[in-house]
Amino acid sequence: MRILFMGTPDFALFSLRALVESGENVIGVVTQPDKPQGRGYALTPPPVKVYAQEQSIPVYQPATLRDDGFYELLQNLNPDLIVVTAYGKILPARVLEYPRLGCVNVHGSLLPAYRGAAPMQRAIIDGKTVTGITTMMMDVGLDTGDMLLTGEVEITPTDNFETIHDKMGDCSREVLLRTVKAIREGNAVRIPQDHSLATYAAKIEKSDCKLDFHRSAEELHNLIRGLSPVPLSFTNTPDGKLLKVVAAEVAQSEGTLGEAGEVLSLDGGKVTVACGVGAISLLAVQPEGKKRMAASDWINGRKIQKGDRLVTR
């Protein structure tokens, strides 16, 4: 089969590598345009582009998929199947309808749960213990197409977005290769989604990252790990400066131990803070204008004291 791959970030690399390393005929890669990054705003290629070029696979970076230029490219490439993983744009109907075997999407949730842009982060934030990968035949809706195959991934209490990202990536390799094999052999089974069970995983916004210490310790722990290592949850120190939280643990899951946001203890190199229910210990932080550091280093720098209160602005 002539396979055209569409994807952009690191997560998409798992799928592209799986196709290439298994010997599939990847005729081209479509990815987002290079973007400025870092303090110097250097134009930086997407991870998928870098890998594709290393493999001598033609790379295309159209500004839009909706003009005749991209459709002409599609006709020239003439793919039998398009595989999409975290491309970053919605495919128009005439692109979806072009390949004779359709367009397959690798999605980071067990559909119909967590349709949308941030399924992995939202599952962790919501305290889920299981998530997974779904391959589906794409249609014009947002993650509404018929499902093909799935694979489950456990979310442990110590997992964060980084570890789940990598677990999900490994799972996506296996599920995608099984899916491509089934399509090639003509025995792929399409399973319509139950739209009444659908939930939506909206893109992470700055407002999602605020730590409200009136919430329970369990809820805040899930939020912190769901947003780590990027973009990171945050609060403010007594002097109003920003404090991002890299890692934490639940110190106590029940009871009211103090005023919400009150620093209860600095013992053991941990900053233990009262929550609406229970208490949470900050293990690693990033103070405003500083690099990430262990909470013990922040304590040793005398930037926080017992009795201080963290109030998110």
Side-chain angles (χ1 to χ4, degrees):
M1 295 186 296
R2 294 172 58 80
I3 298 177
L4 178 64
F5 182 79
M6 302 180 70
T8 302
D10 287 323
F11 186 67
L13 273 179
F14 289 96
S15 295
L16 180 56
R17 282 199 181 105
L19 294 172
V20 172
E21 292 171 4
S22 65
E24 294 292 346
N25 180 25
V26 180
I27 59 170
V29 165
V30 177
T31 189
Q32 295 284 340
D34 297 359
K35 292 184 178 180
Q37 291 184 0
R39 291 185 178 180
Y41 294 98
L43 209 56
T44 305
V48 162
K49 176 182 178 179
V50 175
Y51 176 77
Q53 289 179 329
E54 290 172 352
Q55 302 299 315
S56 300
I57 300 170
V59 176
Y60 309 96
Q61 297 176 277
T64 179
L65 304 180
R66 298 186 178 278
D67 61 13
D68 291 337
F70 181 74
Y71 194 71
E72 289 172 6
L73 172 64
L74 202 57
Q75 291 175 312
N76 291 333
L77 293 172
N78 194 28
D80 299 309
L81 178 71
I82 294 178
V83 173
V84 182
T85 305
Y87 173 61
K89 287 185 179 179
I90 295 175
L91 275 60
R94 68 174 181 171
V95 174
L96 294 171
E97 295 164 359
Y98 186 86
R100 67 180 181 88
L101 297 174
C103 296
V104 170
N105 179 238
V106 180
H107 185 71
S109 77
L110 297 174
L111 292 170
Y114 296 108
R115 295 172 177 173
M120 289 182 271
Q121 297 99 316
R122 295 289 180 186
I124 301 169
I125 291 169
D126 290 347
K128 300 298 182 183
T129 58
V130 176
T131 185
I133 295 293
T134 304
T135 52
M136 66 174 177
M137 300 304 301
M138 297 176 71
D139 60 18
V140 293
L142 180 62
D143 301 326
T144 56
D146 291 347
M147 300 179 294
L148 298 173
L149 294 170
T150 62
E152 289 192 353
V153 172
E154 179 186 9
I155 304 176
T156 71
T158 58
D159 276 319
N160 63 9
F161 174 45
E162 182 176 35
T163 60
I164 287 300
H165 174 278
D166 292 347
K167 286 183 184 181
M168 293 279 274
D170 289 338
C171 181
S172 71
R173 292 174 58 94
E174 184 269 333
V175 176
L176 174 59
L177 292 182
R178 283 197 290 125
T179 300
V180 171
K181 182 176 184 289
I183 291 172
R184 178 187 294 107
E185 295 174 354
N187 55 20
V189 177
R190 298 175 63 137
I191 305 169
Q193 295 188 45
D194 184 344
H195 301 302
S196 68
L197 300 177
T199 57
Y200 182 62
K203 178 182 176 182
I204 300 295
E205 304 288 353
K206 183 178 180 180
S207 58
D208 295 311
C209 303
K210 293 182 178 181
L211 291 170
D212 179 359
F213 288 100
H214 291 91
R215 299 173 68 184
S216 73
E218 294 279 1
E219 289 176 309
L220 292 177
H221 179 235
N222 292 338
L223 179 65
I224 289 165
R225 62 198 185 100
L227 300 176
S228 183
V230 288
L232 293 178
S233 56
F234 67 88
T235 184
N236 295 91
T237 53
D239 59 2
K241 291 187 176 180
L242 187 69
L243 179 72
K244 295 183 177 181
V245 180
V246 179
E249 65 183 14
V250 175
Q252 187 166 323
S253 60
E254 299 178 353
T256 301
L257 306 176
E259 189 176 5
E262 179 186 349
V263 176
L264 301 174
S265 167
L266 301 177
D267 296 340
K270 306 173 184 179
V271 180
T272 301
V273 183
C275 304
V277 178
I280 193 165
S281 292
L282 311 185
L283 306 178
V285 297
Q286 184 176 4
E288 185 174 323
K290 304 289 185 180
K291 294 182 178 180
R292 299 180 184 197
M293 63 181 69
S296 57
D297 293 332
W298 190 46
I299 294 169
N300 292 338
R302 299 186 181 278
K303 297 299 183 182
I304 192 71
Q305 302 291 332
K306 182 179 177 180
D308 284 348
R309 187 161 176 243
L310 304 178
V311 180
T312 308
R313 292 172 171 79

